Amino acid sequence: MNRSDFEILRGLDGKYIDDDIEFRASPETGPNLSFDKIVIYNRIGYKIFLNGTYSPRIKKITYNFVLKGLGPICRVDVNGTFHKDKGRTHKHEVINEGDPQRNLPEAIARPDLEGKTPREVWKIICKEAKIEHRGEFKEPT
């Protein structure tokens, strides 16, 4: 996937999610809450999955979009790992063709997402990416 393919996919109308999104505790994630393998349907036929984590202690939110067989194509981090001049709240997305294999190395600052709840961030992502979420979003506690 290159940048042009990513932009076409991001701008594509008609993407949707039927599943509920609920951050849950699991032994694998320790104190963090998570969900995974939420299918994002699209008319191009790409097999895209969403996973996410939430750390209640530091209010860290991550939404990660993965293209099956390729790797991550977009990730939004709120209060995440500090990235040089991009801060702790940022977005990663495909810029160069090899980026999914390198875990999306470049970051784009997103200070507009700071201080928002997981639901608020999710609504912004859905609007920007033209994703209709038909299921329920359960705010983590």
Side-chain angles (χ1 to χ4, degrees), residues 5-66:
D5 296 333
F6 174 78
E7 288 176 356
I8 289 168
L9 179 60
R10 183 182 56 202
L12 183 69
D13 288 322
K15 294 186 296 285
Y16 65 95
I17 295 172
D18 280 334
D19 296 323
D20 293 342
I21 293 177
E22 181 176 8
F23 293 87
R24 296 177 185 219
S26 76
E28 293 83 28
T29 61
N32 296 333
L33 307 174
S34 65
F35 65 86
D36 66 351
K37 297 184 183 169
I38 301 291
V39 177
I40 302 171
Y41 297 96
N42 62 87
R43 58 187 163 95
I44 296 178
Y46 282 130
K47 296 202 182 309
I48 303 169
F49 298 97
L50 169 68
N51 58 60
T53 59
Y54 176 67
S55 176
R57 187 176 57 79
I58 60 171
K59 308 288 190 244
K60 177 185 177 208
I61 308 164
T62 298
Y63 294 104
N64 192 40
F65 297 82
V66 178

Side-chain angles (χ1 to χ4, degrees), residues 16 23-24 59 85 93-94 100 103 106 109 120 128 130 132:
Y16 65 95
F23 293 87
R24 296 177 185 219
K59 308 288 190 244
D85 59 338
E93 57 188 35
V94 173
N103 199 25
E106 301 298 320
E120 291 169 331
E128 291 176 353
K130 299 182 179 182
E132 177 187 0

Side-chain angles (χ1 to χ4, degrees), residues 58-61 77-81 88-90 114-116:
I58 60 171
K59 308 288 190 244
K60 177 185 177 208
I61 308 164
D77 291 312
V78 176
N79 295 327
T81 303
R88 293 184 60 215
T89 300
H90 51 268
E114 289 179 16
K116 303 234 182 300

Side-chain angles (χ1 to χ4, degrees), residues 64-121:
N64 192 40
F65 297 82
V66 178
L67 181 59
K68 186 176 181 177
L70 182 65
I73 58 171
C74 183
R75 182 174 55 256
V76 175
D77 291 312
V78 176
N79 295 327
T81 303
F82 187 79
H83 282 336
K84 302 175 193 167
D85 59 338
K86 306 304 184 210
R88 293 184 60 215
T89 300
H90 51 268
K91 177 181 178 183
H92 298 264
E93 57 188 35
V94 173
I95 304 295
N96 300 302
E97 206 161 323
D99 288 350
Q101 292 82 28
R102 295 180 23 224
N103 199 25
L104 305 174
E106 301 298 320
I108 302 161
R110 289 297 306 260
D112 59 303
L113 301 177
E114 289 179 16
K116 303 234 182 300
T117 67
R119 180 190 310 271
E120 291 169 331
V121 173

